[in-house]
Amino acid sequence: MVRKPLISLAILVAVIAALLAAWTFGGRQVSLFIDRFGTIEIASAPIHAVSYEGSGTGGWLTVNDVHLSLNHINPRIALNIGSTKDNQFAVASGGKVFALGPLTHTGENDGDFLAVVPQTGDDAFLVTRRSALSWPTPFEFNHMTGHSPSWKRHMYYELRWKKPSGATLDMLWRYEQPFYGQQIVPGDGWGSGFSVHEGTTGLIRVNINPSP
């Protein structure tokens, strides 16, 4: 009679140990899997200005004061940014084009720098989300600073733009955010939400829906 509870306890301990090992060694993938079902919104800000620095592919997109890289991109995404014949700031992907609006008149607007502001009637927001599940990083060490994160989580930045015509643009970036603790990072202890990891971060989605 004693052996049965002991066997059950041993099985429970083994299962818990396996889950902890999976969380420690495969936490990034577990977090990515859970993110498919939902993430936690932490901010939603109206877009006041967008600028692009680059040659049409790659470069940087700055939304308000948030710098989002176009150099790390899902290889399945074909993306071009430029201007149309009537001087509209445009994003093109998958054979579809979304014109954000007329180029703003700045001295910097040229082939490698473009800028635009939302037009009257546009519904444009930058939404920031984070993973529901963080993962431990006990084996990560930064040799340059000597400070290593104890946890990480994913951060998501989504550009949503809808025209009065019904046309929409959706762009989603994913990055990692390390946790160092309040002794190193005042406030909540979380560092920059723009850390990269080869193969899982950068621009991961672009959806353009023309006017219905």
Side-chain angles (χ1 to χ4, degrees), residues 32-146:
L32 287 173
F33 177 76
I34 293 176
D35 288 350
R36 296 180 184 179
F37 302 96
T39 51
I40 299 172
E41 183 175 318
I42 57 178
S44 180
I47 294 175
H48 302 296
V50 173
S51 63
Y52 170 70
E53 294 181 71
S55 59
T57 58
W60 290 86
L61 196 69
T62 301
V63 183
N64 294 339
D65 57 352
V66 178
H67 303 291
L68 300 164
S69 174
L70 298 175
N71 296 316
H72 301 92
I73 186 171
N74 187 315
R76 293 176 294 180
I77 297 175
L79 180 72
N80 292 92
I81 296 181
S83 58
T84 63
K85 294 180 180 179
D86 55 350
N87 286 326
Q88 297 268 327
F89 186 116
V91 175
S93 181
K96 301 175 182 178
V97 178
F98 183 90
L100 281 71
L103 295 173
T104 57
H105 297 288
T106 70
E108 294 183 277
N109 262 331
D110 57 31
D112 292 330
F113 185 92
L114 304 172
V116 66
V117 297
Q119 302 299 291
T120 301
D122 286 3
D123 188 14
F125 286 86
L126 181 66
V127 181
T128 305
R129 292 188 171 88
R130 66 169 178 84
S131 293
L133 178 70
S134 306
W135 67 92
T137 56
F139 306 111
E140 190 165 321
F141 185 76
N142 189 322
H143 295 279
M144 295 183 64
T145 65

Side-chain angles (χ1 to χ4, degrees), residues 188-205:
D188 61 5
W190 288 95
S192 168
F194 296 93
S195 297
V196 298
H197 182 270
E198 186 68 28
T200 60
T201 58
L203 181 64
I204 60 173
R205 187 179 74 210

Side-chain angles (χ1 to χ4, degrees), residues 42 130 134 150-151 153 155 177-193:
I42 57 178
R130 66 169 178 84
S134 306
S150 54
W151 296 85
R153 66 186 180 188
M155 295 291 292
Q177 184 179 32
F179 179 80
Y180 293 100
Q182 295 179 342
Q183 297 87 348
I184 299 175
V185 181
D188 61 5
W190 288 95
S192 168

